[in-house]
Amino acid sequence: MSAARTAAARRVGVWLVGARGSISTCVAYGLAGLRAGLVEPLGMVTQTEPFTRLDLASLDSLVVGGHDICTRGLTQSAGELVRNRILSAELVTSVAAEAAAFESRIRPGILDPDDVGVADLHPEAARLGSLAPREQIAILRADFEQFARDNELDEVVVINVASTEARRDPRPHWRSLEALDAALDAKSAEPASLVYAYAALSSGRPFVNFTPSLGASTPALRELARKHGAPHCGNDGKTGETLVKTVLAPLFVARRLRVLAWQGYNMLGNRDGECLSDPLHRDAKLKSKDEALRQLLGDPQVHTKVGIDFVPSLRDWKTAWDFIHFEGFLGAQMSLQFTWAGSDSALAAPLVIDLALLADFARQRGEAGEMQHTASFFKAPIGGGTHDFHAQFQRLVEYAEKHARR
Ligand SMILES: NC(=O)c1ccc[n+]([C@@H]2O[C@H](COP(=O)([O-])OP(=O)(O)OC[C@H]3O[C@@H](n4cnc5c(N)ncnc54)[C@H](O)[C@@H]3O)[C@@H](O)[C@H]2O)c1
């Protein structure tokens, strides 16, 4: 690895946990399409001012690899996205060689101990899932290391885009690194997302958790990140309904209109939707979706509710319908409704690429711990703070202005 490479020439690995999934497939084909000039960088924040004046790694220098626990071929994942009108058949054909190279860099991941009945489960992922966490961490770290060596990478950013895990109640040993280390030594079975985060952060690699799973959000993991000088961010990408909510809610507060009720209902038909149709997995998602609204409206009495249903025929197209009942001057009651129909993967993939570039940049600058400036990307930002999208985005712009070339 060369420490002397200029920012644009740096080679940066993007390690996707959940590499055979819809988001990862869109990242891999999208990146190849961007490089070939076949795709516009729509939805990518880093390709606009002032971010274009940051010394970010170039898109040409990104190399994608990853872990997955299933055996589904990448061409099958891509075929699903072509049928769903998200990837074009021309793009899939044009960048087939790059997609095959990505697939050759996918390693079996570790099965979460609470995950049962996974379709197409890779036998090696089941075996790795049964190992003690210290052994799992050593294997994951060796995979990152080999990826870096084989591809002559200056940095590897690890990004969790795996299926949402079942929600776990907080465990006492997640409160400090010392307690977590003792539990790992005692072979306590831990959520897979925590193990991936531990493996990345303990080797000083940036970690991004795009899912609502635990990842690096516990005090123990946050301590680990600071100890090893690794930047990290999460949780749960803010791509659709919650994005609109966190843009709209400040409007009601600013104009002093009283929100009486905010009902949200989501229908989604992809594998993520199927996973979320399980109540334990859905709980993790609902928690991060509902919290933003309560905080923004600052009214604990307000009636808010979010529902999620799996509707297979919608495939990757999510429909969200929100009904906002509010009160104005003289007690006049009014309502606002919006319907959001979006392709989840096409919304998420450009943000994942942005986050890879920003996480690598933070690491180059020697930033360690929570990347507070990335809060606008997440439903439940690890560093806390406001959920107001405008305020969050302003913070990101200020960060970029501060570090941009003049
Ligand atoms: N698309 C969006 O807009 C959006 C927004 C926020 C969060 N997310 C989250 O991103 C994640 C990915 O979404 P998707 O649509 O690509 O899902 P997907 O089901 O298409 O892909 C997930 C992949 O993760 C793999 N996987 C499961 N457990 C794993 C493990 N322990 N180790 C490694 N791989 C594992 C699965 O085999 C699958 O290939 C989900 O958790 C989703 O909730 C998505």
Side-chain angles (χ1 to χ4, degrees):
M1 287 194 280
S2 155
R5 279 184 187 144
T6 60
R10 290 169 44 69
R11 286 175 62 78
V12 176
V14 181
W15 188 267
L16 300 165
V17 178
R20 297 182 184 280
S22 299
I23 297 183
S24 294
T25 307
C26 285
V27 168
Y29 282 90
L31 252 182
L34 282 164
R35 288 201 274 251
L38 300 170
V39 170
E40 278 184 81
L42 294 179
M44 285 189 70
V45 175
T46 54
Q47 303 305 302
T48 60
E49 264 288 303
F51 305 96
T52 43
R53 283 186 291 115
L54 284 177
D55 281 329
L56 300 176
S58 85
L59 294 177
D60 287 336
S61 74
L62 301 184
V63 182
V64 196
H67 284 120
D68 206 301
I69 57 166
C70 76
T71 54
R72 188 181 53 254
L74 202 64
T75 44
Q76 187 185 332
S77 297
E80 287 170 8
L81 291 160
V82 170
R83 282 193 295 284
N84 297 346
R85 295 170 289 111
I86 291 153
L87 283 181
S88 76
E90 294 75 31
L91 175 66
V92 171
T93 310
S94 306
V95 301
E98 282 190 73
F102 164 51
E103 185 152 36
S104 72
R105 296 188 288 257
I106 299 177
R107 306 274 310 137
I110 53 167
L111 180 68
D112 181 73
D114 280 9
D115 228 349
V116 285
V118 175
D120 313 327
L121 180 63
H122 195 299
E124 182 61 4
R127 189 189 72 81
L128 296 178
S130 67
L131 299 178
R134 288 281 187 213
E135 290 175 80
Q136 294 176 332
I137 290 164
I139 289 166
L140 297 179
R141 285 179 54 153
D143 287 344
F144 303 150
E145 204 48 59
Q146 184 165 358
F147 174 54
R149 233 186 359 259
D150 290 351
N151 298 283
E152 297 181 35
L153 303 172
D154 295 282
E155 189 57 77
V156 175
V157 179
V158 179
I159 306 191
N160 183 9
V161 277
S163 320
T164 302
E165 285 170 0
R167 198 178 75 78
R168 265 63 168 221
D169 289 328
R171 298 177 185 169
H173 65 257
W174 292 344
R175 284 196 212 126
S176 76
L177 184 55
E178 194 185 352
L180 176 62
D181 275 334
L184 295 181
D185 291 339
K187 304 191 175 172
S188 124
E190 298 296 333
S193 69
L194 182 149
V195 176
Y196 283 113
Y198 195 108
L201 297 172
S202 62
S203 49
R205 303 191 193 285
F207 178 77
V208 177
N209 184 14
F210 204 78
T211 79
S213 308
L214 200 63
S217 55
T218 62
L221 268 287
R222 293 166 74 172
E223 209 179 317
L224 182 74
R226 287 191 296 275
K227 181 174 163 191
H228 292 276
H232 68 105
C233 58
N235 288 347
D236 203 3
K238 183 155 87 169
T239 53
E241 186 212 14
T242 310
L243 173 67
V244 181
K245 273 178 166 174
T246 60
V247 167
L248 283 180
L251 174 153
F252 292 96
V253 177
R255 282 290 170 90
R256 210 170 164 205
L257 296 166
R258 180 181 297 131
V259 173
L260 303 168
W262 195 312
Q263 288 282 130
Y265 178 58
N266 295 260
M267 294 181 283
L268 61 164
N270 56 13
R271 267 186 309 277
D272 188 27
E274 190 174 3
C275 170
L276 296 174
S277 63
D278 175 273
L280 274 177
H281 293 74
R282 187 169 51 215
D283 266 13
K285 194 75 163 185
L286 290 180
K287 193 165 178 293
S288 45
K289 274 176 129 358
D290 209 24
E291 260 166 22
L293 206 50
R294 294 196 166 278
Q295 186 227 56
L296 280 174
L297 296 174
D299 174 4
Q301 304 305 322
V302 68
H303 174 94
T304 66
K305 190 150 198 268
V306 192
I308 303 182
D309 273 329
F310 176 50
V311 182
S313 64
L314 285 178
R315 297 188 176 153
D316 200 57
W317 294 89
K318 181 168 86 183
T319 298
W321 171 72
D322 274 45
F323 178 88
I324 305 140
H325 193 205
F326 64 98
E327 185 178 1
F329 198 45
L330 307 173
Q333 295 201 351
M334 300 164 254
S335 66
L336 165 68
Q337 299 178 42
F338 71 81
T339 310
W340 172 271
S343 152
D344 263 3
S345 311
L347 288 161
L351 300 182
V352 168
I353 302 172
D354 279 335
L355 286 164
L357 296 174
L358 290 169
D360 170 60
F361 181 73
R363 170 82 171 138
Q364 294 322 300
R365 285 191 18 81
E367 294 171 24
E370 301 91 34
M371 296 165 59
Q372 308 254 8
H373 54 283
T374 60
S376 62
F377 289 85
F378 298 106
K379 293 192 192 79
I382 287 182
T386 178
H387 284 287
D388 179 339
F389 178 77
H390 302 286
Q392 292 173 327
F393 194 69
Q394 184 55 31
R395 186 163 189 185
L396 182 64
V397 170
E398 281 164 14
Y399 171 90
E401 291 287 8
K402 190 167 156 200
H403 303 299
R405 289 183 308 277
R406 297 285 147 211

